[in-house]
């Protein structure tokens, strides 16, 4: 023949007959299954093995092949018709594809023969996959169709078979060995230099048609099912490995698809296929200049497309492009193209991504509780592994959260490259050159922190790799250039945080502060124990940020403090604070002495005390004195005054909490059970024998040393003249005086070896003397502010004094004078107009009597008229006390009297007055404790009072003849 035979081109000139279309689809399926079985039988038969179509007509002609099997083209047409009209039965389409695959690749096998049916098959499969046949194609049919298309393309467009007709530009590769060239074609096919159908004009026309087909079906990679996605990936890999020269015009589309599936952020590809895609990319980019050049061009095109995609609403497309860029940076790592690509990406992101601070009303400055256990539970992820969106830094953007995280990963990849530190330094200079508060500065600084993250991760990984095979006592440091850039970033972040703590120099926005805190955490994780050298300038600003009004800054500072705790190898945050308490106290003192303070300053100090506990109290002596000076000069500022006394309250509370167990054991002269009853100190007697033995035991009297001469003088006369007795007394006095003088001389001649130790031995309190004196200083100073106009301050001061009494009572020598001093001021608060202040004053009075005991008897007697007058408001409202201020006041008064009666002796007349005053309220739940304490003192009196009030039953007479006692009720 002078030309190739007619091709199956997929046209519809010969449509199926109506009779064919009306036949049941199950019958179509059965026919396809029969043909498949026939083809398999022919393939496995001896005749098929010896006389397959690829073995006929060895002279290169094609007419003999078609003539030997005239139904070949018709069979292909029937299978394609089953695909087009078999939407009603998915199994029919799958069987048709399977039977056509057996015919094409197990019987025909010849590339020349397959090229004749290539146009028709490609055309019909593209229409089937893209849904142009009018029905919705099943995902399994799509996957099988793409696999069939992949097999026929690499069989017809195989680089080795077409080697003779390829242009030099198509076959130009990097110099590689023969083994490597062979490895990209896993199926060994001999070059065919005698192609009749596959000529250069044919190749030029066919490759353009194939490109159009691939562009149409490549969207299948976005399919929701994994089977079609993996099929399109197998198609792309097959073209790259076996037809990269014949279909070089399709390489951009193929590379886009492979990069999309090879991305580490893609969770839809099977693991083995992803690995295969990664290996194929690495091999071809490294060994084929054509592939490498196309890949680099595609990478730059992806970066340029970001300027459009990042501001569009197509999040999926922007995420795919970002993943592709990240994969490109990893493949081009440590090359000149990587540097150019990184610079281009940073310029694009800086121009397009417009980050703005969130305009949100900040929360009010309030105190809060924070401990290391809470920190570990909520912030256990290290700084380098934490992925934070813009919202975590108080930034708003048009980007979705997923796009933000993927962009962050791309920038981190740039930082981990060989030139990452150079890019970081350049961008950091750009940040410093921007004016404070500008939106562009926030954008650049966010990019800088992501680059810093990559630089830290890269250097740390290299150091760990070196340390794993070199035995050394110290960690391998980073390169000088990288270390210097990292420290520059740390110093800049620290400067921003320090400025944010000042009310005078704070010019930066909250997002800049959040980003700076993240940067400090990253450097702390990178430096490890070496970060301890930076604590002197870094720790205090971080602690001060814990009291910021912006919760985002608070959260970032918590994460930074925890990261420093872990990196510097402290067991808890508390140990970090205590070990570096001098740094913190110095920083706070500078703030207070320069009056660079705000309402947040006192909140910070409160938080610091809560974190450190009672161990920090001795360090705060000078700081407390400074706050006293501020109070003297600025006591008219209510917010400042309340804030300072909240610090004092926290200091007292933490000290009491730290020594509560020791104070309880030291000061528990009386033990109470759950009902408030005093537990007897006598041993428990389990039987009558022990009871009789206890009763028969005589008390042991103390042995007093009595002078025999004095005893004689007191009991009898020795019949000596008075003058002689007087002389003996004078001589004895002289001898005692000489002995005392000798003892004093010996004591003066003996030097004190350790004066501090002697003073410590004289101190008897469980609480250290330095801590005790700080608390005593606070209490002595607090009483003058109990007349302040702020009711909240008065209440907090009374609570402070109440909580401090447990500590003060540990040294009775110092406690009793203190009670005597503050008692008048405390009792004056009983005239306060606010109920909650009255409650706090009554509580404070009760605790004072509990700790001072009989020292308070006369004071209680003098105070009783005032206490009794407090019952007047609810005397007429007994039945309407529920949920009323009167009930709260009654409860506080009863609780105070209960503590007084339990610990302080009172005269009988006072007892009777208390009993008669409160007996009318004995039916209330709140008075049960008071009634119990009264019964312990004189139960009979309480019973008689209750009997007179009508709330107790009269005694039952022992005999009927005895008349019951009649007591007139009140």
């Amino acid at each position: 023949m002078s030309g190739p035979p007619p091709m199956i081109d997929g046209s519809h000139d010969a449509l199926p007959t109506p009779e064919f279309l009306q036949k049941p689809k199950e019958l179509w399926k059965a026919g396809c299954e029969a043909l498949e079985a026939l083809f398999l039988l022919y393939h496995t038969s001896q005749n098929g093995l010896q006389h397959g179509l690829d073995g006929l007509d060895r002279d290169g002609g094609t007419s003999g092949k078609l003539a030997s099997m005239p139904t070949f083209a018709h069979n292909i047409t029937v299978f394609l018709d089953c695909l087009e009209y078999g939407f009603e039965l998915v199994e029919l389409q799958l069987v048709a594809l399977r039977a056509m695959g057996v015919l094409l690749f197990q019987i025909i096998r010849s590339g020349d023969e397959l090229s004749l049916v290539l146009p028709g098959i490609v055309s019909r499969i593209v229409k089937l996959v893209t849904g142009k046949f009018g029905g919705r194609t099943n995902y399994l049919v799509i996957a099988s169709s793409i696999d069939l298309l992949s097999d026929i393309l690499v069989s017809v467009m195989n680089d080795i078979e077409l080697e003779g007709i390829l242009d030099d530009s198509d076959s130009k590769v990097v110099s590689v060995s023969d083994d490597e060239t062979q490895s990209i074609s896993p199926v060994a096919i001999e070059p065919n230099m005698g192609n009749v159908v596959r000529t250069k004009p044919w190749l030029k026309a066919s490759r353009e048609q194939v490109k159009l087909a691939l562009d149409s079906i490549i969207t299948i990679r976005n399919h929701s099912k994994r089977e079609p996605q993996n099929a399109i990936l197998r198609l792309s890999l097959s073209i790259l490995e076996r037809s990269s020269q014949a279909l070089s015009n399709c390489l951009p589309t193929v590379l886009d698809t492979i990069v999309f599936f090879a991305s580490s952020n893609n969770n839809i590809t099977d693991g083995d296929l992803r690995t295969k895609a990664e290996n194929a990319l690495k091999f071809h980019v490294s060994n084929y200049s054509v592939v490498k050049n196309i890949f680099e061009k595609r990478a730059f095109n992806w970066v340029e497309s970001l300027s459009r995609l990042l501001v569009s609403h197509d999040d999926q497309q922007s995420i795919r492009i970002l993943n592709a860029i990240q994969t490109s940076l990893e493949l081009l790592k440590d090359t000149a193209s990587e540097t150019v690509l990184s610079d281009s990406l940073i310029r694009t992101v800086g121009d397009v991504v417009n980050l703005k601070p969130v305009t949100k009303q900040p929360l009010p400055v309030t105190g809060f509780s924070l401990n290391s256990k809470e920190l570990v539970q909520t912030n256990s992820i290290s700084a380098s592994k934490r992925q934070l969106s813009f919202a975590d830094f108080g930034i708003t953007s048009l980007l979705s959260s997923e796009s933000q995280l993927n962009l962050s990963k791309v920038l981190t990849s740039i930082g981990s490259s060989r030139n990452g530190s150079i890019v970081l330094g350049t961008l950091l200079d750009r940040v410093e050159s921007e004016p404070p508060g500008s939106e562009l500065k926030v954008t650049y600084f966010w990019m800088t922190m992501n680059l810093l993250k990559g630089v830290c991760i890269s250097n740390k990984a290299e150091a760990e790799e070196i340390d794993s095979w070199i035995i050394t006592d110290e960690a391998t440091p980073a390169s000088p250039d990288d270390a210097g850039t990292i420290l520059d970033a740390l110093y800049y972040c620290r400067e921003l945080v320090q400025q944010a703590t000042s009310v005078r120099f704070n010019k930066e926005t909250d997002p800049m502060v959040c980003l700076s805190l993240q940067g400090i955490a990253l450097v702390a994780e990178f430096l490890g124990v070496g970060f301890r050298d930076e604590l002197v300038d870094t720790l205090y600003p971080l602690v001060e940020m814990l009291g910021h009004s912006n919760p985002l800054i608070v959260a970032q500072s918590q994460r930074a403090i925890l990261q420093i705790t872990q990196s510097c190898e402290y067991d808890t945050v508390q140990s970090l604070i205590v070990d570096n308490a001098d740094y913190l106290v110095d920083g706070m003192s500078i703030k207070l002495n320069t009056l660079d303070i705000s309402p947040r300053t006192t909140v910070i100090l409160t938080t610091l005390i809560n974190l450190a506990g009672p161990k920090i109290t001795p360090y705060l002596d000078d700081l407390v004195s400074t706050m006293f000076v501020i109070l003297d000069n600025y006591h008219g500022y209510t917010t400042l005054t309340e804030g300072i006394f909240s610090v004092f309250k926290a200091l007292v509370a933490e000290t009491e909490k730290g020594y509560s167990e020791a104070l309880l054991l030291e000061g528990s002269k009386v033990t109470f059970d759950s009902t408030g009853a005093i537990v007897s100190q006598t041993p428990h007697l389990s039987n009558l024998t022990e009871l009789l033995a206890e009763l028969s035991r005589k008390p042991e009297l103390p042995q007093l040393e009595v002078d025999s001469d004095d005893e004689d003088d007191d009991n009898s006369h020795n019949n000596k003249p008075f003058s002689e007795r007087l002389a003996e007394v004078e001589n004895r006095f002289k001898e005692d005086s000489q002995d005392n003088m000798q003892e004093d001389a010996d004591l003066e001649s003996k030097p004190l070896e350790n004066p501090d130790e002697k003073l410590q031995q004289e101190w008897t309190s469980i609480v250290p003397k330095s801590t005790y004196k700080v608390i005593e200083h606070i209490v002595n100073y607090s009483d003058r502010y109990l007349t302040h106009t702020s009711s909240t301050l008065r209440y907090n001061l009374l609570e402070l004094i109440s909580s401090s009494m447990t500590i003060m009572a540990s040294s009775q020598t110092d406690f009793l004078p203190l009670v005597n001093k503050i008692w008048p001021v405390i009792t004056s608060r009983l005239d306060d107009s606010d109920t909650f202040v009255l409650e706090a004053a009554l509580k404070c009075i009760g605790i004072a009597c509990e700790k001072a005991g009989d020292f308070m008897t006369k004071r209680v007697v003098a105070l009783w008229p005032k206490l009794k007058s407090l019952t007047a408001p609810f005397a007429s409202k007994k039945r309407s006390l529920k949920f009323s201020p009167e009930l709260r006041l009654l409860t506080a008064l009863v609780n105070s009297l209960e503590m007084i009666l339990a610990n302080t002796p009172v005269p009988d007349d006072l007892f009777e007055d208390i009993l008669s005053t409160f007996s009318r309220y004995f039916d209330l739940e709140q008075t049960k404790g008071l009634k119990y304490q009264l019964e312990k003192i004189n139960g009979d009196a309480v019973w008689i009072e209750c009997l007179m009030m009508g709330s107790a039953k009269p005694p039952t007479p022992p005999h009927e003849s005895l008349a019951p006692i009649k007591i007139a009720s009140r």
Side-chain angles (χ1 to χ4, degrees), residues 412-430:
T412 302
S413 298
I414 296 177
S416 61
S417 63
R418 182 179 60 182
N419 298 322
S421 61
I422 299 176
V423 180
L424 173 62
T426 303
L427 195 57
L428 187 61
D429 294 337
R430 191 176 302 176

Side-chain angles (χ1 to χ4, degrees), residues 857-912:
T857 299
K858 292 183 179 181
R859 293 167 177 80
V860 171
V861 172
L863 184 65
W864 168 243
K866 182 60 181 177
L867 296 176
K868 185 177 181 179
S869 66
L870 295 177
T871 62
F874 48 81
S876 60
K877 298 182 180 181
K878 175 185 174 184
R879 300 306 172 189
S880 60
L881 287 176
K882 192 174 183 180
F883 307 119
S884 64
E886 290 81 7
L887 179 60
R888 290 170 46 196
L889 183 58
L890 174 63
T891 303
L893 179 58
V894 166
N895 291 338
S896 179
L897 288 173
E898 182 181 345
M899 286 188 284
I900 292 173
L901 294 176
N903 300 277
T904 302
V906 295
D908 293 340
D909 56 344
L910 178 57
F911 170 83
E912 293 175 358

Side-chain angles (χ1 to χ4, degrees), residues 370-380 558 561-562 573:
L370 188 63
N371 56 56
S372 60
K373 184 177 181 181
E374 293 173 352
L375 278 174
V376 173
Q377 290 176 348
T378 57
N379 303 283
S380 58
Q558 290 175 0
I561 290 176
L562 178 64
V573 175

Side-chain angles (χ1 to χ4, degrees), residues 488-563:
D488 288 342
L490 170 64
Y491 299 152
Y492 183 73
C493 293
R494 188 168 63 197
E495 181 182 357
L496 288 180
V497 177
Q498 289 174 344
Q499 290 178 1
T501 62
S502 174
V503 297
R504 302 176 180 175
F505 305 104
N506 185 20
K507 298 180 181 179
E508 293 296 345
T509 57
D510 289 350
M512 293 291 292
V513 179
C514 288
L515 291 168
S516 300
L517 293 169
Q518 172 72 0
I520 292 174
L522 288 170
V523 178
E525 183 182 8
F526 169 71
L527 294 179
V529 182
F531 193 80
R532 291 194 177 194
D533 298 337
E534 307 294 336
L535 291 178
V536 61
D537 296 320
T538 307
L539 186 56
Y540 172 73
L542 294 181
V543 173
E544 184 163 357
M545 287 293 101
L546 292 175
H548 201 277
S549 59
N550 191 331
L552 297 177
I553 294 181
V554 174
Q556 292 294 338
S557 60
Q558 290 175 0
R559 295 188 181 103
I561 290 176
L562 178 64
Q563 184 62 64

Side-chain angles (χ1 to χ4, degrees), residues 451-674:
L451 292 173
L452 175 63
K453 180 179 178 180
V455 174
C456 292
I457 292 175
S458 176
N459 282 274
K460 189 173 183 179
E462 292 178 1
E464 291 176 351
E465 182 179 358
I466 295 175
D467 293 339
S468 63
W469 56 273
I470 295 180
I471 300 176
T472 178
D473 295 334
E474 299 180 356
T476 303
S479 63
D481 295 338
D482 291 353
T485 306
I486 292 173
L487 290 178
D488 288 342
L490 170 64
Y491 299 152
Y492 183 73
C493 293
R494 188 168 63 197
E495 181 182 357
L496 288 180
V497 177
Q498 289 174 344
Q499 290 178 1
T501 62
S502 174
V503 297
R504 302 176 180 175
F505 305 104
N506 185 20
K507 298 180 181 179
E508 293 296 345
T509 57
D510 289 350
M512 293 291 292
V513 179
C514 288
L515 291 168
S516 300
L517 293 169
Q518 172 72 0
I520 292 174
L522 288 170
V523 178
E525 183 182 8
F526 169 71
L527 294 179
V529 182
F531 193 80
R532 291 194 177 194
D533 298 337
E534 307 294 336
L535 291 178
V536 61
D537 296 320
T538 307
L539 186 56
Y540 172 73
L542 294 181
V543 173
E544 184 163 357
M545 287 293 101
L546 292 175
H548 201 277
S549 59
N550 191 331
L552 297 177
I553 294 181
V554 174
Q556 292 294 338
S557 60
Q558 290 175 0
R559 295 188 181 103
I561 290 176
L562 178 64
Q563 184 62 64
I564 292 173
T565 303
Q566 296 173 346
S567 300
C568 295
E569 298 183 357
Y570 286 101
D571 295 333
T572 61
V573 175
Q574 185 178 18
S575 61
L576 168 69
I577 298 299
V578 173
D579 288 352
N580 300 277
D582 50 345
Y583 300 157
L584 298 171
V585 173
D586 289 344
M588 184 64 72
S589 297
I590 293 174
K591 291 283 186 182
L592 293 177
N593 289 326
T594 58
L595 295 180
D596 186 10
I597 56 179
S598 65
R600 187 173 70 238
T601 305
T602 55
V603 176
I604 294 307
L605 189 52
T606 303
T607 305
L608 172 62
I609 293 171
N610 291 333
L611 279 173
K615 295 181 180 179
I616 199 175
T617 306
Y619 296 96
L620 301 179
D621 190 14
D622 295 337
L623 200 60
V624 169
S625 300
T626 303
M627 286 188 282
F628 288 157
V629 174
I630 294 176
L631 285 174
D632 290 337
N633 296 326
Y634 301 98
H635 57 271
Y637 296 90
T638 302
T639 303
L640 178 62
T641 305
E642 291 179 355
I644 291 178
F645 277 106
S646 67
V647 174
F648 294 159
K649 184 178 178 181
L651 183 61
V652 173
E654 288 296 325
T655 305
E656 181 187 12
K657 187 188 304 181
Y659 297 99
S660 58
E661 185 176 354
L663 291 171
L664 182 62
L665 295 176
E666 177 70 14
S668 60
K669 298 179 180 179
V670 182
T671 306
F672 299 91
D673 60 14
S674 59

